Amino acid sequence: MNKNLKRAAKLLTAPAAALTLLLPVLAATATPAAAATDAYTFTNTDGTLNATGNGDGNQISVTPDGTNYTNWRLIRLGAPGTFNLANTSSGKCVYASQPAVQQSCGKEGEQWHFRPVDGKPNSFGIVRRDDSSGTEYCMDNRGGLHLWGILAQPNVCNGSASQQWTVPASKAAEARALALDYYADLCAKRTSTCSWTQRSEGQPEVLPRQPASSVWYNDTAGTMKQVFTTIYHSGWAQSFSVGLSSSVGVSAPVQAMISNQLTATQTYQSDETTVNGIAVDVPAGNYGWVDFAAVGKKVTGTWTFDTDNQPWTTDATVTVPVVNSAAGSTMYVARTSPQAPGSGTGGADVTPAALARTATGTMDVPAGARLTAHKNGVRVVGADGATIATVEPGTVTDTGGTAHRVVLTVAGNTVTQTVEGVTGDTVTGTITPPTFSLGGGTPASASASASASASAPASESGDEHDKCMAKKIGTSIVVGGAMGALTGPEGVAIGMLTGAFKGIAKGVLECGPNT
């Protein structure tokens, strides 16, 4: 076997505001002995895996009577699910030579991961993967007796009993979680190694807010307007849950694998573009920033991970962001607080302003399209009857902390927005940006799109179209509302809504048909 096998996976680099859970990187030279009660042992049909001594180069063997040094601990590495296997007596790590030996920890050739054996809850392969060929090598018996028993060595994985190692029942959950870490990461990079069968899905729900901008502190004596550059992204973490928490970062291939089984929804992908210029009035002595939230679904199903024709399965719940849902898709919320974000104090939304109880505006509508009422929102319907997008208003919270529902009514291209539960002509408070979702089906026919704009780009994939549309809508919401393009109580109330429709119309012209 090539002693210079590549590591199974490289340490993920977490982008700003991404929800990525990385295993801690432990110093490879740290080798204090672990208590025997907290140790791993590995047993197959021929005996127990052990080190034959405490020195560098001592061979690893399998003995039926369990003599020699049989206790092991894991030194977790940065790449998901990978570890060094250190003997608790010598503090040295198993090195993948032929036969296997122990050497000082921290060397290339000492990285391993677990692979569960289906139908045997406490049995695992101890595996190394050659990334260049995709071949996996499992710790095995070399064959033939030796002074200390049967020597061990990594061989090409074949599912034989000598490659199936039983661990203590108390360690099985940890070993399985590490295996899921490793193979979920591999699945995200190479979808040919995995498949997904959906069993159920939850209702759309707004995911927790995540910081989407830098944080600015106003150390002056008065309120200051600060413009924040925001990161336009999906705001979610792909989460695999099987009792023990385990997750990897955003993965479009895995997202797509799950989304094609969702009911009347499509996943939301927008992690490449930026929305610039959300203006926030930050009071004196306050921090200011912008949060982002996305709408997601929890989907439960069964994963099958298959390498070397040795599949194993696990049930898991995965959170997937969606676009075409009644809850909308995304929102930005400007925040101010005397305390920095993350301090546990939350923070107020944007500075309260006078908002008209009733505000009316004429919306931009794509050529040939029309507006229709939908629940308390508005749908943009193309000439072919397909839904282009649905826009729902934000909510108003007055200075007393009371939340007010906002409803929309439609008359032609004119939309009237009403804040419910308000007795006067205005209410002082804050309004969250409208949410929007992109409708199922083609936004407009190819001929209608071509006649609407001679400069419209060529047809793009559905994902690229949705990314483009999301950017157009998001940037128009910012310009139409948060930047103050419309002034006065009525303008402040309906400005962001007007921006959303302007973005939809612009997106139909510039983003091409959704194919």
Side-chain angles (χ1 to χ4, degrees):
M1 173 181 165
N2 184 353
K3 295 182 181 180
N4 295 318
L5 288 178
K6 295 181 180 179
R7 292 194 177 200
K10 296 186 180 295
L11 179 65
L12 293 175
T13 301
L19 304 177
T20 305
L21 177 64
L22 298 178
L23 297 177
V25 183
L26 304 183
T29 55
T31 56
T37 56
D38 192 40
Y40 274 85
T41 56
F42 301 97
T43 303
N44 68 13
T45 53
D46 292 312
T48 302
L49 192 72
N50 65 90
T52 57
N54 285 328
D56 261 7
N58 283 138
Q59 294 172 327
I60 307 300
S61 70
V62 183
T63 54
D65 56 359
T67 56
N68 301 325
Y69 305 101
T70 59
N71 290 325
W72 305 89
R73 67 184 181 92
L74 310 183
I75 301 176
R76 298 195 189 186
L77 304 175
T82 61
F83 52 84
N84 287 166
L85 191 58
N87 190 270
T88 59
S89 176
S90 67
K92 299 184 184 298
C93 289
V94 176
Y95 181 81
S97 54
Q98 300 268 4
V101 298
Q102 65 176 9
Q103 293 192 3
S104 299
C105 299
K107 297 180 178 179
E108 184 63 43
E110 295 177 345
Q111 299 80 30
W112 304 89
H113 64 270
F114 288 127
R115 180 170 64 188
V117 178
D118 245 13
K120 298 181 179 180
N122 298 344
S123 293
F124 299 84
I126 305 172
V127 186
R128 284 178 51 78
R129 180 182 179 86
D130 184 344
D131 275 351
S132 61
S133 65
T135 303
E136 291 192 331
Y137 296 82
C138 290
M139 185 60 72
D140 198 354
N141 298 341
R142 182 184 180 97
L145 292 176
H146 188 271
L147 179 62
W148 298 285
I150 300 172
L151 295 182
Q153 70 180 35
N155 291 326
V156 173
C157 296
N158 56 26
S160 63
S162 60
Q163 295 180 354
Q164 300 177 11
W165 301 91
T166 300
V167 304
S170 61
K171 292 295 186 181
E174 179 186 37
R176 193 170 184 86
L178 285 170
L180 183 59
D181 272 346
Y182 180 84
Y183 285 100
D185 180 64
L186 181 63
C187 169
K189 298 170 182 175
R190 302 180 184 181
T191 56
S192 61
T193 66
C194 58
S195 60
W196 164 266
T197 302
Q198 181 181 322
R199 294 207 313 271
S200 64
E201 63 184 77
Q203 293 299 311
E205 57 184 274
V206 177
L207 302 178
R209 292 178 179 180
Q210 299 299 323
S213 75
S214 59
V215 179
W216 182 75
Y217 180 72
N218 181 7
D219 60 358
T220 71
T223 297
M224 297 285 290
K225 186 179 293 291
Q226 178 72 6
V227 178
F228 292 88
T229 299
T230 60
I231 305 165
Y232 201 82
H233 60 87
S234 59
W236 68 292
Q238 177 178 295
S239 177
F240 297 81
S241 176
V242 284
L244 291 176
S245 177
S246 177
S247 65
V248 296
V250 173
S251 165
V254 171
Q255 183 177 319
M257 183 184 300
I258 298 169
S259 67
N260 62 18
Q261 299 178 48
L262 295 181
T263 302
T265 60
Q266 60 188 123
T267 57
Y268 174 70
Q269 298 181 48
S270 184
D271 57 355
E272 297 176 356
T273 59
T274 59
V275 174
N276 294 312
I278 293 184
V280 182
D281 289 325
V282 183
N286 271 243
Y287 294 87
W289 70 97
V290 176
D291 281 348
F292 176 91
V295 172
K297 275 189 176 184
K298 290 184 173 65
V299 185
T300 299
T302 300
W303 284 99
T304 300
F305 300 101
D306 189 359
T307 53
D308 295 322
N309 296 313
Q310 296 175 62
W312 63 280
T313 61
T314 187
D315 291 338
T317 298
V318 183
T319 300
V320 182
V322 298
V323 170
N324 187 19
S325 74
S329 59
T330 65
M331 63 186 70
Y332 283 101
V333 183
R335 310 283 281 173
T336 61
S337 173
Q339 306 295 326
S343 61
T345 59
D349 288 348
V350 290
T351 305
L355 304 166
R357 178 177 64 86
T358 301
T360 300
T362 300
M363 304 297 149
D364 285 358
V365 179
R370 67 184 190 281
L371 303 183
T372 64
H374 176 71
K375 297 183 179 179
N376 69 321
V378 176
R379 274 187 168 169
V380 183
V381 180
D384 60 355
T387 298
I388 297 173
T390 302
V391 178
E392 297 188 14
T395 57
V396 169
T397 303
D398 63 29
T399 52
T402 301
H404 298 268
R405 193 169 77 115
V406 179
V407 296
L408 305 177
T409 57
V410 181
N413 292 348
T414 299
V415 175
T416 299
Q417 175 176 281
T418 303
V419 183
E420 295 187 332
V422 175
T423 56
D425 291 334
T426 64
V427 57
T428 300
T430 59
I431 184 169
T432 61
T435 60
F436 62 90
S437 58
L438 302 181
T442 305
S445 66
S447 59
S449 296
S451 62
S453 173
S455 61
S459 173
E460 302 179 32
S461 69
D463 287 343
E464 291 302 316
H465 172 272
D466 291 351
K467 280 185 176 183
C468 179
M469 287 288 291
K471 180 181 179 182
K472 300 300 181 186
I473 298 170
T475 53
S476 297
I477 287 175
V478 172
V479 174
M483 292 295 287
L486 300 178
T487 59
E490 183 169 314
V492 172
I494 205 167
M496 289 185 288
L497 187 69
T498 304
F501 284 94
K502 184 179 294 184
I504 292 168
K506 190 175 182 180
V508 170
L509 287 174
E510 299 181 10
C511 296
N514 183 11
T515 57

